[in-house]
Amino acid sequence: MNHKPEEWKAQWIWSESEDVRERSEEHEIVYFRRCFEVAEPAASRLVVHVSADSRYRLYLNGQSVSVGPCKGDRFTRYFETVDITDKLVEGMNVLAAKVVHYRSCEPFRLGIGGPASVWRSGQGVFLLEGNLTTKNGSATIDLSTDNRWECLRDAATRFVAGGQDTLYVGGTEQTDGRLLPFGWLKMRDKAQGWRPAVMVSEIIDVLYGQLTPWPLEARAIPPLYEIENGYVGVKRILPSNALPDFYLLDGDSNGSGWLVRAGETLEVELDAGGLTTGYPYLDLTGGRGTTVEILYSECYEREAESTIRRNKDIRDDPEGRYLYGEFDRYIVAGQGETDKENYERYEPFEFRTFRYVRLTVRAGEEDVRLHRFNYCETGYPLEVKAYFASSDPTLLPLWEISINTLRRCMHETYEDCPYYEQLQYIMDTRLQVLFTYQISADDRLARKAIFDFHSSLMPNGMIQSRYPSVYPQVIPGFSIYWIMMVADHYRYFGDAELVRRYLPTIDAVLHWFAQHVEASGLMGAMPQSVWSFVDWVEEWRGGRGVPTANEYGPLTAYSLFYVLALQTAAELNEVCGRHSTAEEYMNRAAAVQEAVRSNCWSAERRLFADGPTVQLYSQHCQIFAVLTRTVPDGQAGELLSHMLEQRDLPTVSYAMSFYLFRALEKAGLYDKSYRLWDTWRDLAAMNLTSWVEDPVSQRSDCHGWGSVPLYEFTACVLGVSPMEPGSRGILIRPDTSYLEWAEGAVATADGVVHVSWRRREDGTIACQIDCPEQISARLELPDGRVVELAQGGRVSI
């Protein structure tokens, strides 16, 4: 139920600031509420549309009902539509919202600028539109935001920039509970200073079409889930005689809890059972002036030996290792009551990422009693429909860790890492989208991601490498992955209209590259204003992922990136009937390919060099030479086999290995990929529950691009993929070169496919498949046997 723009009646509201300087230099928190009477809840209905700048949490009668708005940008301010009828009660009801406005600063400054992925204007605002109606529509109470809403500015919380860990996510909180308006959600607070809200802006200019800073669009993805969860164990606790099963502390009914006496300190390190994302909360009574700190950490680690490399090994062993991370600090108000529904509660506004937390309670002059310390897990509602099992038991942990990693990097956007940045990068996202397709066939977050990057298009024709972001960044090579994202969506879902919508943006990106082609036909050196990143490898660490050859001139990798972008764009233009444009792009690609062969091939090394003027080589150029068919298909296997024999080449990172696997698959050498799983096995042996950013620096313990097993096990080992781009049908082509047996399920747009294959004693393959009814499927086995299923169903051979 979404309003057309001309039907909006609500107004953007805020609180007047008595201190203009405070508004310009600090983040703002404002509480809003509106009370109303309901005579018959069972006969009433309440649907609201809500948004804010920058973030809000909405409550009805003290219960959280919506969090948002979904991350957008300057020209897309999302609103949520929520049916909250079931939360109505007879008598007085209270709609309430806590809204945080993150400061707007140019240039953006890490740490003090708030989360880099949350768009904001220079003005905080809140908006809600809704009418309380009877179910037969006979009576209405207008609850839309205007000066009938009251508001109160928060004086208790400051957002603090910690160390390097939380600069992109906006730091942590320091809250003085003694200044909080407890009971405000149900009109029971004693706070002074509530006043009528002030109108900031109408939603639209109906006369002249002038845009506000908040052009509204309906949320495009489902709401994030929130599930109550608890810790699974204690890793350390001081004093040592403290409650050993502290992790079971969960709002005891007799009110005993855990007592920390005046002047004493309790420090406990708790295990969530795996890396997760959620809202920690602490319920307590008494203890006015007590200081509470909650530290969030991904793992136990030893003290770092350098500034560029973390000292991590076994992640869950506290012996000789410590928790590092940022913390929220809370000063207890002492307002809690013995009734468990009225405990004093502290909960940070934004979700936190952690596998372990350290709770430190320093009691002041009063005893403080702890009643509950749990968290509310949150994330995108990913429905995993796939599973995988095989004759190699070491692969199962790789599957399970990959599932958890992908989940933790999906919220309102795909994320590189939930702990450090929460930014949506194109290279990461393209892989995460493919993993999502294979295990769930859910394309809603993917469609939003494609739109997000399209929305980042700059006047010069380049798209930004991460978006939404108030901190712009350009990595030109990442734009090819976005073009491939559009092609991937068409391959899986056949939506030509989506392709057609983004062709102008694809044209703009390719024009940007065309302007940088040199007379030699190669892509020239990238401008200094951009980051010519290719991959995180040890040999290029000093250049922050840029090949060393960049110091001497153009990079071969960027010429090959451009070729791949042109070839992919040509295919998409053919889909949409732009045949002459497709031909033009293929001709451009052929010209650059010829320049690469002429200027970058070394007959002596039998490899493509990293640049036309250097004797530097890497796996990367060989891989993309195969993927772009710059080396003829008949010679691709020879090139890759030779490449793998070389011990002096910078090797692809384990995330970039996805493209190595695709090159091996294309060259008919996929069997050579299996030995590469040792990288993942070695990480799993360190008791990780999510994959690291890269095995070299190991800054982040959760990076979605590491979940490559999700694709390889489903699309290659089980062999399930779309039949043809844009067509309904399923291709099943399992790779049986390594394992004795494998079985599992794979999600497709047409339904779930079940595959089971086993090697018989005579070496032949027995295979069973079960496909959705009425969907064509084709089974191709390595020995040449082919089975066609025109109407789906089950077959065993």
Side-chain angles (χ1 to χ4, degrees), residues 370-537:
L370 313 180
H371 297 277
R372 183 190 289 112
F373 184 54
N374 285 341
Y375 65 93
C376 188
E377 181 186 316
T378 189
Y380 181 86
L382 176 69
E383 181 184 358
V384 177
K385 301 175 182 177
Y387 76 90
F388 176 80
S390 76
S391 56
D392 184 348
T394 68
L395 297 184
L396 183 58
L398 276 53
W399 173 266
E400 294 172 341
I401 295 171
S402 295
I403 292 287
N404 189 55
T405 306
L406 182 62
R407 283 189 186 279
R408 302 311 162 201
C409 295
M410 294 175 68
H411 289 88
E412 290 169 344
T413 65
Y414 285 99
E415 296 162 349
D416 59 334
C417 55
Y419 189 92
Y420 293 93
E421 297 187 37
Q422 296 175 17
L423 286 164
Q424 182 171 245
Y425 285 84
I426 304 178
M427 180 179 175
D428 307 58
T429 300
R430 192 252 168 159
L431 296 181
Q432 291 166 278
V433 164
L434 283 173
F435 306 156
T436 305
Y437 291 165
Q438 289 290 125
I439 68 171
S440 76
D442 182 347
D443 73 331
R444 292 171 293 180
L445 195 58
R447 294 175 73 98
K448 180 180 182 297
I450 293 169
F451 174 75
D452 286 341
F453 292 120
H454 151 81
S455 301
S456 77
L457 182 67
M458 301 186 300
N460 65 4
M462 180 49 64
I463 60 177
Q464 297 176 42
S465 54
R466 61 187 185 206
Y467 206 77
S469 175
V470 294
Y471 199 13
Q473 181 196 68
V474 174
I475 303 174
F478 276 25
S479 62
I480 70 155
Y481 301 119
W482 178 76
I483 295 174
M484 295 173 77
M485 283 173 63
V486 177
D488 292 337
H489 191 276
Y490 181 71
R491 177 176 169 237
Y492 278 84
F493 298 97
D495 187 348
E497 286 305 310
L498 181 141
V499 174
R500 189 170 287 108
R501 176 181 187 181
Y502 295 114
L503 285 180
T505 307
I506 293 172
D507 292 342
V509 169
L510 295 177
H511 181 69
W512 186 94
F513 276 105
Q515 291 178 307
H516 292 84
V517 175
E518 294 183 331
S520 65
L522 296 172
M523 182 62 52
M526 295 291 99
Q528 290 186 340
S529 59
V530 304
W531 183 13
S532 302
F533 175 87
V534 172
D535 192 16
W536 286 122
V537 297

Side-chain angles (χ1 to χ4, degrees), residues 324-356:
Y324 293 93
E326 302 301 323
F327 59 86
D328 293 311
R329 177 179 290 135
Y330 179 69
I331 298 177
V332 177
Q335 293 292 315
E337 302 174 12
T338 54
D339 176 2
K340 64 183 299 183
E341 297 302 319
N342 294 296
Y343 293 148
E344 178 177 344
R345 170 169 291 193
Y346 171 67
E347 177 182 307
F349 182 77
E350 298 283 8
F351 74 77
R352 303 300 188 218
T353 304
F354 53 90
R355 180 176 178 181
Y356 302 103

Side-chain angles (χ1 to χ4, degrees), residues 26-85:
E26 295 286 343
H27 305 314
E28 301 171 284
I29 299 177
V30 178
Y31 306 102
F32 294 91
R33 67 188 179 191
R34 168 83 186 273
C35 62
F36 57 98
E37 294 285 336
V38 177
E40 296 182 75
S44 302
R45 185 166 187 261
L46 179 56
V47 176
V48 298
H49 312 281
V50 57
S51 189
D53 186 339
S54 307
R55 304 282 293 171
Y56 74 84
R57 183 178 285 273
L58 181 70
Y59 303 85
L60 178 58
N61 299 322
Q63 298 185 60
S64 176
V65 294
S66 183
V67 177
C70 185
K71 291 181 180 178
D73 65 7
R74 169 64 180 85
F75 296 104
T76 306
R77 172 66 53 172
Y78 289 105
F79 67 89
E80 281 72 36
T81 298
V82 192
D83 187 337
I84 51 178
T85 302

Side-chain angles (χ1 to χ4, degrees), residues 38 40 111 145 160 174 225 239 241 319 326 412 494 593 657-658 668:
V38 177
E40 296 182 75
T145 46
V160 180
Q174 290 187 3
Y225 71 85
N241 65 344
E319 187 65 31
E326 302 301 323
E412 290 169 344
Q593 285 176 296
S657 65
F658 173 85

Side-chain angles (χ1 to χ4, degrees), residues 174-193:
Q174 290 187 3
T175 300
D176 187 340
R178 296 167 296 188
L179 301 177
L180 288 174
F182 290 100
W184 70 280
L185 293 171
K186 297 182 178 180
M187 302 291 288
R188 298 175 183 168
D189 62 293
K190 300 177 183 179
Q192 303 296 314

Side-chain angles (χ1 to χ4, degrees), residues 13-274:
I13 61 172
W14 198 240
S15 166
E16 286 185 332
S17 174
E18 297 178 356
D19 187 341
V20 176
R21 182 175 179 274
E22 177 188 354
R23 172 172 291 188
S24 64
E25 295 187 1
E26 295 286 343
H27 305 314
E28 301 171 284
I29 299 177
V30 178
Y31 306 102
F32 294 91
R33 67 188 179 191
R34 168 83 186 273
C35 62
F36 57 98
E37 294 285 336
V38 177
E40 296 182 75
S44 302
R45 185 166 187 261
L46 179 56
V47 176
V48 298
H49 312 281
V50 57
S51 189
D53 186 339
S54 307
R55 304 282 293 171
Y56 74 84
R57 183 178 285 273
L58 181 70
Y59 303 85
L60 178 58
N61 299 322
Q63 298 185 60
S64 176
V65 294
S66 183
V67 177
C70 185
K71 291 181 180 178
D73 65 7
R74 169 64 180 85
F75 296 104
T76 306
R77 172 66 53 172
Y78 289 105
F79 67 89
E80 281 72 36
T81 298
V82 192
D83 187 337
I84 51 178
T85 302
D86 62 342
K87 302 295 190 300
L88 294 170
V89 298
E90 185 176 353
M92 188 184 75
N93 288 251
V94 183
L95 264 176
K98 180 178 180 179
V99 182
V100 175
H101 174 237
Y102 294 113
R103 63 172 296 189
S104 177
C105 55
E106 291 285 352
F108 185 79
R109 286 185 283 172
L110 288 174
I112 66 172
S117 60
V118 175
W119 205 269
R120 76 295 303 264
S121 71
Q123 169 69 57
V125 288
F126 172 62
L127 177 136
L128 180 141
E129 175 149 333
N131 296 310
L132 177 71
T133 63
T134 59
K135 291 186 177 178
N136 61 15
S138 62
T140 298
I141 299 177
D142 182 9
L143 297 174
S144 300
T145 46
D146 56 21
N147 59 10
R148 288 174 293 180
W149 282 69
E150 61 176 350
C151 61
L152 176 71
R153 297 179 67 84
D154 175 88
T157 302
R158 294 184 60 244
F159 294 88
V160 180
Q164 294 297 312
D165 289 348
T166 58
L167 293 180
Y168 284 93
V169 298
T172 53
E173 294 181 2
Q174 290 187 3
T175 300
D176 187 340
R178 296 167 296 188
L179 301 177
L180 288 174
F182 290 100
W184 70 280
L185 293 171
K186 297 182 178 180
M187 302 291 288
R188 298 175 183 168
D189 62 293
K190 300 177 183 179
Q192 303 296 314
W194 286 93
R195 62 184 62 183
V198 297
M199 189 191 81
V200 172
S201 172
E202 301 284 355
I203 291 180
I204 58 171
D205 179 346
V206 296
L207 295 178
Y208 300 108
Q210 298 174 116
L211 298 180
T212 74
W214 313 286
L216 286 168
E217 294 288 343
R219 184 183 180 104
I221 59 172
L224 304 187
Y225 71 85
E226 293 188 359
I227 299 175
E228 292 291 322
N229 216 329
Y231 302 96
V232 301
V234 170
K235 304 296 285 189
R236 285 196 186 108
I237 191 165
L238 293 173
S240 58
N241 65 344
L243 193 67
D245 55 354
F246 183 92
Y247 68 98
L248 297 176
L249 197 64
D250 188 18
D252 45 68
S253 58
N254 61 15
S256 60
W258 178 254
L259 184 67
V260 182
R261 296 197 177 277
E264 294 183 351
T265 296
L266 171 71
E267 184 174 280
V268 57
E269 294 175 356
L270 295 165
D271 180 2

